[in-house]
Amino acid sequence: MASPKRAGQSSNSSIPPLRSICLPSILIWIMATYIILDMRIHLFDSDHGTLHKRIFKGLQTSILAKLITNDIVKTEPKVEYHNDEKSDTDCDSIEAHMDVFEGQPRKPQDPWGQLKKGLPPAECRVKGHLIERLDPQTNYRRGIALGFTNDLDDKYPLENWFLGTKVDVNKASRRVYIDVGANQFTTSILWFMQRYPCDFTEVYAFEKHPNVLSLPGGWNEELNWVERPGWQKIRSRAGWVPSWLVQRMKIYNKAVGLEDSRTTVNITRFLKDELKLAPEDSVVVKIDIEGAEWPILYQWVKDTQLPKIIDELFVEVHYYHVDNNLLWVKQWSRENTTRMLAELRWKGWYVHYWD
């Protein structure tokens, strides 16, 4: 049995006494290690892998910096940085914007997860900004594919990808929203007024059926007050849209196309020559015209001026598939749709699939 050390006798052990170890530092180290391992195991295998890797690297750098500050890690950390997105050179093709990897499309998207969590990011940026991934193997109409609806899907997952959330579109003195195939006022005009982060100064809506679209009766914002005993004046909730906003809107009861006629407007000429839109303006366009969009898109994808004029494009591209059974557009498939959207992005269009 070893005898106890005498007073003043030094220890040959390099292990510090237990009382010198900081318990909070140990707990921080354990928790940080657990978080890092958990993220590596679970997040990198998900559909959001690219985004999760980027988040993980930021957290890893932050945690290591904190540990160094607290003298828990004594050595300089070696952190490797990789570009999880494709380079500009890698993105210089239609296939890259279709998210095709080594000649094969990505694994099928998860429509249920997309409905719950939103759309994952594409690997290639457009106009320098992240945009949602296209869907080359599963249906764009996720709600229809899941059997939740036989008509329109929920549009709210697109809100995270609005260009207006990435740049200040309100800086422009002229802010224009153009709705091609507006249908009823609440279908898209009101939705954009309420959801898109822009105070539009001009609104132009095309709806060829005169009995479908009409502007609501506006209310006077200055006079729309009621008196309450013991309260100051409070605003009434009557009406949808104030009169000053309704006055910014104009309806055209005509179809759109590539030529002008008694019943049709050449939409390209309308944008360039009649409205005289310019790159310094903020311009958002939505198109939903039941298959008539294809000739317009074929022309626009060759136009080098329009992607500089139109900041953001939302378009419902109609195609035939067993899920939607649109027989009048049987000449176009879902693959055609994906390729068209990918080519538009490749040519500089910040475009989304609208539903």
Side-chain angles (χ1 to χ4, degrees):
M1 182 175 180
S3 59
K5 293 183 176 65
R6 297 178 182 176
Q9 183 176 355
S10 62
S11 172
N12 293 328
S13 174
S14 61
I15 301 176
L18 183 61
R19 63 177 177 274
S20 67
I21 299 177
C22 178
L23 183 59
S25 297
I26 295 176
L27 293 175
I28 291 174
W29 176 251
I30 293 173
M31 290 301 297
T33 303
Y34 173 80
I35 292 172
I36 291 171
L37 291 175
D38 183 69
M39 291 184 71
R40 282 189 179 276
I41 293 171
H42 294 92
L43 296 183
F44 283 16
D45 293 331
S46 70
D47 288 336
H48 297 267
T50 299
L51 186 59
H52 287 144
K53 289 178 184 177
R54 194 178 302 111
I55 294 172
F56 166 74
K57 288 173 185 172
L59 287 175
Q60 185 184 50
T61 304
S62 176
I63 291 171
L64 287 171
K66 184 68 175 177
L67 296 177
I68 293 170
T69 303
N70 292 337
D71 292 331
I72 300 174
V73 178
K74 297 297 184 181
T75 58
E76 186 71 20
K78 294 182 180 180
V79 182
E80 285 190 47
Y81 294 93
H82 299 284
N83 182 13
D84 293 320
E85 301 167 25
K86 293 180 180 178
S87 67
D88 292 339
T89 303
D90 294 335
C91 289
D92 194 17
S93 70
I94 299 174
E95 286 73 18
H97 287 272
M98 291 177 68
D99 275 340
V100 175
F101 181 70
E102 293 182 355
Q104 296 295 325
R106 288 181 167 273
K107 64 180 180 180
Q109 302 295 321
D110 173 21
W112 173 259
Q114 289 183 8
L115 280 175
K116 292 192 300 180
K117 305 172 186 176
L119 304 170
E123 290 190 352
C124 293
R125 293 175 178 252
V126 181
K127 293 187 177 180
H129 301 284
L130 286 174
I131 195 167
E132 81 278 3
R133 182 176 297 167
L134 295 177
D135 212 348
Q137 287 194 341
T138 57
N139 206 313
Y140 290 105
R141 301 185 172 196
R142 288 161 285 277
I144 292 178
L146 291 170
F148 286 153
T149 177
N150 57 5
D151 189 16
L152 300 177
D153 276 356
D154 188 355
K155 301 177 179 66
Y156 294 115
L158 279 178
E159 292 186 43
N160 293 330
W161 304 107
F162 284 167
L163 185 63
T165 64
K166 305 174 187 303
V167 297
D168 186 2
V169 294
N170 287 292
K171 283 185 177 181
S173 59
R174 194 177 180 196
R175 304 177 296 277
V176 184
Y177 171 62
I178 300 167
D179 197 318
V180 181
N183 205 299
Q184 300 180 18
F185 179 75
T186 56
T187 302
S188 54
I189 299 178
L190 183 61
W191 192 87
F192 273 96
M193 296 301 101
Q194 293 176 336
R195 311 303 301 184
Y196 198 88
C198 181
D199 176 21
F200 292 106
T201 58
E202 304 169 45
V203 177
Y204 302 94
F206 289 87
E207 176 50 57
K208 66 178 182 179
H209 301 292
N211 297 326
V212 173
L213 176 64
S214 60
L215 296 179
W219 45 273
N220 190 312
E221 192 174 34
E222 298 297 326
L223 301 178
N224 200 35
W225 304 82
V226 294
E227 295 282 357
R228 298 292 189 197
W231 290 67
Q232 295 180 344
K233 288 183 177 182
I234 59 174
R235 191 179 307 174
S236 168
R237 296 180 181 273
W240 282 342
V241 182
S243 299
W244 59 264
L245 185 55
V246 175
Q247 292 171 2
R248 299 180 181 184
M249 303 178 184
K250 187 173 182 179
I251 293 178
Y252 297 83
N253 290 130
K254 288 189 173 185
V256 297
L258 300 180
E259 296 180 356
D260 288 305
S261 69
R262 185 177 58 85
T263 59
T264 307
V265 173
N266 182 332
I267 188 63
T268 306
R269 179 203 57 77
F270 178 82
L271 298 175
K272 292 182 177 181
D273 300 335
E274 188 164 336
L275 296 186
K276 299 187 186 308
L277 296 173
E280 58 267 23
D281 303 324
S282 290
V283 182
V284 176
V285 177
K286 185 229 85 178
I287 299 178
D288 182 1
I289 48 178
E290 305 304 317
E293 70 278 356
W294 281 99
I296 296 173
L297 294 179
Y298 279 125
Q299 184 188 75
W300 282 12
V301 79
K302 301 174 184 177
D303 194 307
T304 58
Q305 294 178 326
L306 277 179
K308 300 175 184 177
I309 294 174
I310 298 176
D311 295 273
E312 191 163 10
L313 174 64
F314 299 81
V315 56
E316 181 171 358
V317 188
H318 295 79
Y319 61 94
Y320 175 77
H321 190 269
V322 292
D323 285 337
N324 49 38
N325 198 30
L326 304 180
L327 293 176
W328 71 91
V329 287
K330 200 166 185 178
Q331 65 268 42
W332 291 291
S333 66
R334 186 164 57 199
E335 183 180 355
N336 297 141
T337 298
T338 306
R339 178 165 287 273
M340 172 58 74
L341 294 172
E343 186 171 2
L344 284 167
R345 290 182 175 186
W346 178 41
K347 296 294 181 65
W349 291 79
Y350 197 89
V351 59
H352 314 278
Y353 182 87
W354 174 264
D355 214 351

